Amino acid sequence: MDPILLVGFPAVGDFVRCHSAIRILAERFPDRPIDVVTSPGNVAFARFMPHIRKAWALKRQPMELGLAERRNLAGELRKENYGSAYLMTSTIKAALIPFMAGIPERIGYPQELQFGLVNRLPAGWLRHLWAFGPRKTRLYEEVCSIVTLGAKPMANVDWPAPQMIIPAAELDDWRSRAGVEADKPALAIFTGDMESPRSWPVERFISIAKDYSDQGWAVWIVGGPREHNTANRIRAGVPQAVDFTTTPLIDVMYQLGASALFLGVNGGMSHAAAALNIPCVLIFGSNLSYLHAPVNEHVRLLEPPISTPSWIKDTLGVSEERVREALAGALEEARHPQSA
């Protein structure tokens, strides 16, 4: 059978959310291999996603068409004889890739009027075309709608959540390399960029980190360069905390997979942790979790209560007490799922 190409998103969180679409395709076409196009950083994550045969890297080039690089990638894709391409991103730049690769069936929403580049449209595409401005549906619903050609899920049957799996042997190898004690529970903290409205006050992260460290837990700050300054501030208050924000990107997956509990804000690491089935507590600004949060069942979402005064912006209305209660509840549910 002809293989399938899925053109995904460059951002980590959005790419992880595309795995719902991949799971649907794998069920509908079990004999057709599925490959993806995504950013170079996501290629390392793709191998932990069931049903993905191969990931092709395409460097993100904001405000540039990147025609030469797309032409080169299209030349490689042409050799694979793909029969269908599903475009998760509704952009001309994304649609150029399967068109230049000569893939006969190119499916997606023509949000940028890329008719011809996209030659098969999901049901309801016209209504979607006029939904300018902020998304009218969740990204989760949009990517699932593309691969089902606009069909709604059947009664009492939901679309699948993203899923990532790390082989146990790889986790053991990472623990050995990182000097991590396998029998010591770890709380992974993802602060996001502290300059972003998505984040939570660093003093509150420090307080939570100190609580768990005092209880004998390992505390790991995960992420990348944007989280490094915050990691330094947390370690100043909790010297036992480990700063993992300078490690290779692939190691982030092992850090998440080896964690017993995850505390984070809206961002790619939070979606990856949820897809890895780690008990998660995620902090969002008002009325944002429905649109942007992971859809996995073991995730607890916290937003400022409706009664929060309007001058308290973003995540400030989420108290430390609520976070402590949510973390304890998530851990209890993971330990005793039948009683939750």
Side-chain angles (χ1 to χ4, degrees), residues 70 119 132 196 210 237 295:
R70 291 171 193 277
N119 61 10
F132 293 112
S196 167
K210 188 175 188 305
V295 296

Side-chain angles (χ1 to χ4, degrees), residues 187-236:
L187 169 68
I189 293 178
F190 173 66
T191 67
D193 182 354
M194 294 307 296
E195 301 302 318
S196 167
R198 296 180 178 186
S199 196
W200 198 48
V202 65
E203 295 80 10
R204 300 183 189 181
F205 277 119
I206 292 171
S207 179
I208 299 296
K210 188 175 188 305
D211 283 352
Y212 276 80
S213 181
D214 289 346
Q215 295 172 36
W217 282 57
V219 175
W220 301 340
I221 304 106
V222 300
R226 289 182 300 180
E227 289 75 41
H228 183 56
N229 288 338
T230 310
N232 285 336
R233 294 179 64 181
I234 293 175
R235 291 196 70 252

Side-chain angles (χ1 to χ4, degrees), residues 41-73:
N42 284 334
V43 169
F45 294 163
R47 70 185 188 88
F48 299 118
M49 295 181 175
H51 313 301
I52 293 180
R53 179 183 67 171
K54 181 177 181 178
W56 299 89
L58 179 67
K59 185 178 179 181
R60 187 179 184 182
Q61 297 174 309
M63 308 305 293
E64 295 181 19
L65 187 57
L67 190 59
E69 186 172 1
R70 291 171 193 277
R71 185 186 298 114
N72 292 338
L73 176 59

Side-chain angles (χ1 to χ4, degrees), residues 206-278:
I206 292 171
S207 179
I208 299 296
K210 188 175 188 305
D211 283 352
Y212 276 80
S213 181
D214 289 346
Q215 295 172 36
W217 282 57
V219 175
W220 301 340
I221 304 106
V222 300
R226 289 182 300 180
E227 289 75 41
H228 183 56
N229 288 338
T230 310
N232 285 336
R233 294 179 64 181
I234 293 175
R235 291 196 70 252
V238 187
Q240 300 89 345
V242 179
D243 175 11
F244 277 134
T245 64
T246 60
T247 59
L249 184 60
I250 186 63
D251 280 6
V252 175
M253 293 301 297
Y254 300 128
Q255 293 152 17
L256 297 177
S259 302
L261 198 55
F262 179 91
L263 171 63
V265 298
N266 184 16
M269 296 302 102
S270 298
H271 283 276
L276 283 166
N277 203 38
I278 309 303

Side-chain angles (χ1 to χ4, degrees), residues 5 73-79 82 96-104:
L5 183 70
L73 176 59
E76 294 299 313
L77 296 175
R78 187 179 292 271
K79 302 173 186 177
Y82 292 107
L96 279 171
I97 299 168
F99 176 78
M100 291 190 294
I103 300 174

Side-chain angles (χ1 to χ4, degrees), residues 65-148:
L65 187 57
L67 190 59
E69 186 172 1
R70 291 171 193 277
R71 185 186 298 114
N72 292 338
L73 176 59
E76 294 299 313
L77 296 175
R78 187 179 292 271
K79 302 173 186 177
E80 301 291 330
N81 297 314
Y82 292 107
S84 304
Y86 292 84
L87 293 111
M88 302 293 97
T89 59
S90 302
T91 66
I92 292 175
K93 290 170 64 173
L96 279 171
I97 299 168
F99 176 78
M100 291 190 294
I103 300 174
E105 185 180 48
R106 305 179 296 276
I107 303 162
Y109 284 114
Q111 196 67 39
E112 293 186 356
L113 305 180
Q114 61 273 43
F115 297 104
L117 296 180
V118 174
N119 61 10
R120 190 171 184 189
L121 310 176
W125 67 268
L126 186 58
R127 182 175 62 254
H128 183 277
L129 178 63
W130 289 105
F132 293 112
R135 293 186 183 276
K136 304 303 181 184
T137 58
R138 292 182 289 174
L139 180 62
Y140 163 68
E141 294 167 338
E142 185 168 315
V143 299
C144 292
S145 183
I146 290 170
V147 296
T148 58

Side-chain angles (χ1 to χ4, degrees), residues 167-184 186 220 244 254-260:
E170 290 191 33
L171 271 182
D172 290 341
D173 179 67
W174 174 79
R175 288 189 182 98
S176 177
R177 289 188 287 109
V180 168
E181 300 177 42
D183 58 349
K184 187 174 185 178
W220 301 340
F244 277 134
Y254 300 128
Q255 293 152 17
L256 297 177
S259 302

